[in-house]
Amino acid sequence: MNGPAATYDEAARSAGLPLGSCLVERRLDNGLWIAAAQVPSARVQRLVGAVGVGYLDEPDDCRGLAHLLEHALFLGSANFPEAGELARWIGERGGRYNARTDETVTDVHLHLPPDEADEGLARLVDMLARPCFEPAHIAHEVEVLDAEFRARLADPALHRLAALGRLCREGHPARLCHAGNRKSLGDDAAHLTTRLSDFHTRHYRSGGMALAMLGPLPLEAQLELLERHAEPLPTGEPSPLQRPWRWGEPGGVAWHAPQAMPATSALELIWPLPQALAAAHGEWLEAVAARLSDGRLAATLQAAVELDSFDVTLTPQGVGTALALRLAPAPDEETVQTLLAACRMALERALASPLTERPVAPVELDVWPRRCACRLAAAGNPSAGPAAPREALQPWLAVEQCRLLWQSPSAPGSWKRLAETGTAWHPQPLASETLPLPWRAAPALSARTLRPSVDEPGPYLVNQGVGFQLWAGDPLRLPDAAPASFCLGWSASLSRQAARLSQWRQNALPLRQAAAVHGLELRCDGDARGDWLIATGPAERLDALVELAVACWPETVTRPRDEAPKGLLAQRMLTRLVTLPPPGTPGQQSRQPLAWVHGDTDTQAAEALLRRLAARRREDDTSYEVPAELHWLSAQADDHAAMLEIAGPDDTPRSRWLLQLLAQCHDAAFHHEMRQRRGLGYVAAVRYREAAGYPRLGYVVQSPGTSVDALRQAIGQFLTCQGEALARLDQATMTSRKRALLAAAGPPETHAEAVARLWHALRRHPLADAWQPLPWEAESQALASLHADELTAMASAIAEGRLAQRWWLHRPGDTDT
């Protein structure tokens, strides 16, 4: 391996990877970009293959072709010709896989145990290089895409993209919907197969592709794997792509879905940028974005509007390269113009004084390799010649260059309708003059003087028996540890928890942004055991952050909001497994506030805060209404759907591991049974989820035409006829599955994950007088002790209905009952 090791360390630090990581990016002789990231603390090896072609590169007369090709990659390849083979192989190893088609890039990503990386990469490259295109399989997949398209008509994200197209030039592909359906793709399977093959031959070539890996394997081993497996890829440059500027003249569009929610609204302000120019000055643009999100603009806007969310990004979905702001809610035109005026002024301020010293937040390990591979695949050959000066960006960021996209509540007015999606829209003028808002200061986080640092002891109980419990000390220090952390939880009513958490996050929005400027991170959340927060970062301002976060917590909910539906109906159903207590399990809250601190946190200040909380929470009502065993969802889409929720017998590591193993055993077979053999619908999956440590499984099917009763019967028949048989594993298979599961859910990969897992383990034992063992060590021991017959017994208990369960059902036109 050429190059000094220090260079690889510095590259990893610049990319935001954990301390101790190494990173290499290089281009091979065949034009393929590769990236290898060694992260010693990572549990799994993440593999990504990306191709620099997306849905905007499709033929005009075959919209959805790139999306269909992404699906077709999973229908078999030269060395692994069986459809569904990849899903089965990954499932047996406890891994995960997914794929995505974006505007100008398509990617496939796998998560596997490190010792499976060699074969996993072989399978990934084979599906990218030599997919099988069988007309019968392609015809079936067109029907799947058509069902997906119809299901997505209930997802606001589809209508957002459709409305966004109204801001693009006439004749540009971005004006059209590219999800793909039976009408846009046609019903001639043989002809469509030929077009798929031609599209693949022209664009899936090494010169326009990238492979990326991230995991614990040594850097040299990763590079060897990447270089060796790159050889089968078709060599050469892809066909040249014509990508003209998409945007029309600056302006605005208001839109809503065909069945708009009156309480749902959002505003996006977009400044499109030339890709090469933005890439050349990426750090400066990030500094501008950081200034916009330093808390001052959020505080100013929130004083005038009940702002729930405010995000600044340089990678807005479906927009290409741009600086974009998203704010919600934006309920009327007056609010829209007020927000627009304030954001325009804030952008002028940010351009004049970007925030250049904002700490770089660590990346999410699951996200990083995909973004890296997509960036490299989209880059192609490095551009020749000197980059344009930064001043060339200024005209693109002028206030008058803004494009406005307003998700409006359904309101009176002249609305046009897009024929394909039914999206309602109309032009939205941008007012040139609006009275500016009075500027507010960002929340101030006072700093205290730190005492001289000393070696911190292991966790010990500072105080108990006085209405609260306080722990101090850190049992684990990973290289990327924050200087200090403060975890705090208390009992709270579950009956209106979702609305209360939404209001808490709204109240704390400027605070979270101001904290980020000082390298602090704040998370406010809640679950079946109550409400809680985790704050991490430099100790001198941490206590002040927690004090202000608690002050933002609402005693009562004054503005309950209905969450806008997001994603497919089946995905919304699965979120119930995370947000609600499982069936048959009453809330087990402790009325005593609980806290855990480490680092140079002021324990006296923590005690004082806990004492005040204990006095306030003494009379709290923690009761809640348990959802019925059969629950109908209000009409949210035109599809039928059913999900069987099954709760584990308890919240012990044994139950959690057994349900995760069952999900592995059942998922691929359930998908094949429901989608391939029975042809029931677009979505068919088995998913494991937890809420406050309580494990449960969800067996979900979403279908455009099959009745709810038939879906329930199909799920029940699968469990009674196949559930137990699929869980009968021989000793070798059981050992392999356990090893893979430990790789996927073993010791924490980052200190942030370690803090969260330690905190929630502590909350499960709120009155303990001794610190519990590291939870992942106890979980590892529990997994090692499991026997195959225990797995079979759990499957039998599910098939016989001996575990608590609940049905979630949906059909068009129904309401909550």
Side-chain angles (χ1 to χ4, degrees):
M1 184 172 61
N2 298 323
T7 303
Y8 307 137
D9 295 343
E10 179 58 35
R13 281 194 295 273
S14 298
L17 296 172
L19 291 177
S21 302
C22 297
L23 170 63
V24 171
E25 295 179 6
R26 68 170 60 141
R27 202 170 199 207
L28 304 182
D29 291 341
N30 64 358
L32 177 78
W33 278 100
I34 61 171
Q38 179 187 355
V39 180
S41 60
R43 293 187 298 267
V44 299
Q45 202 74 22
R46 296 155 171 91
L47 318 177
V48 182
V51 188
V53 63
Y55 60 75
L56 293 185
D57 304 311
E58 298 166 340
D60 293 339
D61 63 342
C62 200
R63 288 178 292 110
L65 190 68
H67 190 191
L68 179 62
L69 178 52
E70 174 215 307
H71 279 233
L73 296 177
F74 293 88
L75 299 178
S77 58
N79 292 327
F80 310 96
E82 183 181 347
E85 160 67 14
L86 182 70
R88 180 197 62 77
W89 182 82
I90 291 177
E92 289 175 352
R93 284 144 186 84
R96 290 187 287 142
Y97 70 94
N98 211 334
R100 183 169 175 172
T101 304
D102 273 335
E103 305 169 276
T104 57
V105 68
T106 302
D107 70 274
V108 180
H109 38 286
L110 317 178
H111 293 184
L112 291 165
D115 58 0
E116 302 288 355
D118 192 350
E119 185 172 355
L121 198 54
R123 289 172 178 268
L124 174 62
V125 168
D126 200 58
M127 67 188 294
L128 292 171
R130 297 184 291 258
C132 297
F133 295 122
E134 295 291 338
H137 289 163
I138 299 304
H140 178 268
E141 213 60 28
V142 170
E143 296 304 310
V144 171
L145 255 66
D146 191 69
E148 178 183 352
F149 172 73
R150 284 186 280 165
R152 289 187 62 197
L153 290 175
D155 185 358
L158 178 72
H159 299 284
R160 173 189 170 272
L161 287 177
L164 193 61
R166 301 306 93 196
L167 293 170
C168 298
R169 294 188 300 103
E170 290 285 349
H172 195 281
R175 286 185 67 88
L176 303 173
C177 177
H178 291 264
N181 54 65
R182 189 184 298 115
K183 183 177 180 180
S184 71
L185 291 167
D187 55 7
D188 186 338
H191 179 63
L192 191 55
T193 301
T194 300
R195 300 199 71 168
L196 274 176
S197 179
D198 178 63
F199 190 78
H200 177 270
T201 300
R202 288 189 291 114
H203 298 296
Y204 278 56
R205 309 195 70 82
S206 58
M209 303 176 74
L211 294 176
M213 297 180 69
L214 181 150
L217 292 178
L219 199 63
E220 296 86 347
Q222 294 193 40
L223 290 170
E224 187 277 328
L225 286 173
L226 290 167
E227 292 177 359
R228 172 159 52 87
H229 286 291
E231 294 179 4
L233 290 170
T235 302
E237 294 298 322
S239 297
L241 295 169
Q242 300 298 320
R243 291 177 178 165
W245 182 251
R246 78 179 70 183
W247 299 99
E249 291 300 313
V253 164
W255 68 276
H256 65 74
Q259 292 81 36
M261 295 182 64
T264 301
S265 61
L267 175 67
E268 293 179 70
L269 306 176
I270 303 164
W271 280 266
L273 301 170
Q275 182 177 359
L277 189 58
H281 303 289
E283 290 187 6
W284 182 79
L285 285 170
E286 289 173 0
V288 171
R291 176 61 73 191
L292 287 167
S293 54
D294 65 1
R296 187 183 183 194
L297 177 57
T300 299
L301 294 173
Q302 203 169 66
V305 180
E306 295 177 356
L307 204 63
D308 287 337
S309 63
F310 171 42
D311 300 300
V312 183
T313 179
L314 296 171
T315 56
Q317 184 64 36
V319 173
T321 306
L323 171 66
L325 289 72
R326 185 184 186 279
L327 311 96
D332 51 49
E333 289 199 34
E334 183 179 354
T335 302
V336 166
Q337 299 304 335
T338 298
L339 295 174
L340 173 60
C343 291
R344 280 173 161 174
M345 291 184 64
L347 178 58
E348 291 179 335
R349 165 177 170 260
L351 293 172
S353 59
L355 186 64
T356 56
E357 297 184 3
R358 181 181 180 182
V360 178
V363 301
E364 297 180 48
L365 297 186
D366 281 351
V367 174
W368 184 89
R370 178 183 174 271
R371 287 184 176 172
C372 175
C374 291
R375 170 177 57 82
L376 294 174
N381 285 304
S383 57
R390 195 179 69 197
E391 288 73 21
L393 273 172
Q394 297 285 352
W396 299 96
L397 294 169
V399 294
E400 63 271 13
Q401 290 298 317
C402 176
R403 273 74 171 179
L404 180 151
L405 192 64
W406 176 30
Q407 182 182 2
S408 166
S410 182
S414 177
W415 293 93
K416 304 177 183 180
R417 297 271 177 178
L418 295 178
E420 190 168 20
T421 62
T423 309
W425 74 283
H426 65 67
Q428 179 63 41
L430 281 65
S432 57
E433 294 185 7
T434 303
L435 289 176
L437 294 173
W439 282 99
R440 300 293 184 98
L445 294 168
S446 57
R448 64 178 174 85
T449 302
L450 298 179
R451 64 181 184 272
S453 180
V454 297
D455 290 337
E456 189 175 31
Y460 64 97
L461 193 58
V462 176
N463 210 331
Q464 182 175 352
V466 290
F468 62 88
Q469 191 178 53
L470 173 62
W471 292 86
D474 189 3
L476 180 76
R477 298 288 289 181
L478 293 180
D480 66 332
S485 68
F486 195 137
C487 304
L488 178 63
W490 57 91
S491 62
S493 172
L494 295 177
S495 60
R496 304 186 73 187
Q497 187 179 64
R500 184 178 64 253
L501 292 176
S502 176
Q503 190 167 328
W504 188 17
R505 296 179 186 120
Q506 177 197 66
N507 296 345
L509 173 60
L511 178 63
R512 291 199 305 273
Q513 292 192 347
V517 173
H518 298 290
L520 295 156
E521 184 175 356
L522 172 66
R523 180 182 176 190
C524 305
D525 215 327
D527 53 38
R529 289 188 165 88
D531 291 0
W532 52 269
L533 64 82
I534 298 177
T536 58
E540 59 267 21
R541 287 186 170 86
L542 192 64
D543 303 321
L545 173 61
V546 173
E547 287 275 0
L548 291 175
V550 172
C552 290
W553 184 78
E555 288 280 357
T556 58
V557 180
T558 59
R559 300 183 299 273
R561 299 189 188 278
D562 294 326
E563 286 283 336
K566 298 176 182 177
L568 294 173
L569 177 59
Q571 294 170 327
R572 299 176 214 163
M573 285 182 151
L574 288 169
T575 61
R576 307 283 178 139
L577 306 182
V578 178
T579 58
L580 293 176
T585 306
Q588 299 181 10
Q589 296 193 13
S590 168
R591 291 185 179 276
Q592 288 193 0
L594 172 68
W596 167 45
V597 299
H598 86 76
D600 289 325
T601 308
D602 187 344
T603 55
Q604 291 183 344
E607 282 192 65
L609 179 59
L610 282 165
R611 191 172 290 110
R612 294 196 298 272
L613 271 175
R616 288 163 52 187
R617 309 312 308 153
R618 194 168 291 127
E619 303 301 324
D620 182 60
D621 177 15
T622 60
S623 62
Y624 65 98
E625 182 179 351
V626 179
E629 292 185 2
L630 189 150
H631 193 87
W632 287 93
L633 299 177
S634 59
Q636 303 173 30
D638 292 333
D639 282 0
H640 299 77
M643 181 178 75
L644 176 60
E645 172 188 358
I646 297 174
D650 50 46
D651 64 345
T652 62
R654 174 185 174 277
S655 291
R656 290 196 288 272
W657 287 128
L658 286 173
L659 289 197
Q660 288 181 75
L661 282 166
L662 273 179
Q664 289 183 12
C665 293
H666 286 177
D667 183 44
F670 183 77
H671 181 275
H672 182 269
E673 173 71 13
M674 301 296 160
R675 185 164 149 177
Q676 264 75 39
R677 200 181 78 80
R678 297 185 181 232
L680 291 183
Y682 161 63
V683 178
V686 183
R687 294 291 182 263
Y688 172 84
R689 296 289 189 269
E690 289 182 20
Y694 298 109
R696 75 280 300 277
L697 292 179
Y699 293 77
V700 62
V701 182
Q702 178 176 343
S703 175
T706 308
S707 71
V708 167
D709 289 340
L711 296 179
R712 290 184 65 184
Q713 184 179 24
I715 293 172
Q717 288 177 348
F718 173 83
L719 289 173
T720 55
C721 297
Q722 301 184 51
E724 186 175 342
L726 290 167
R728 291 196 191 102
L729 305 181
D730 58 49
Q731 190 59 46
T733 303
M734 183 70 174
T735 299
S736 175
R737 290 285 180 96
K738 286 162 63 175
R739 184 176 65 251
L741 196 57
L742 187 61
E749 295 182 303
T750 65
H751 196 266
E753 181 191 351
V755 168
R757 291 173 66 176
L758 288 165
W759 168 235
H760 292 304
L762 180 63
R763 294 176 68 232
R764 287 197 286 270
H765 306 279
L767 299 178
D769 56 6
W771 187 268
Q772 301 297 306
L774 295 177
W776 44 89
E777 292 181 355
E779 291 162 1
S780 177
Q781 294 171 4
L783 180 62
S785 66
L786 286 182
H787 297 287
D789 56 354
E790 293 180 88
L791 182 62
T792 307
M794 184 70 82
S796 177
I798 291 176
E800 296 170 6
R802 289 188 277 115
L803 297 184
Q805 64 181 42
R806 182 162 54 208
W807 283 97
W808 298 90
L809 307 174
H810 176 275
R811 61 183 170 216
D814 276 334
T815 57
D816 278 326
T817 58

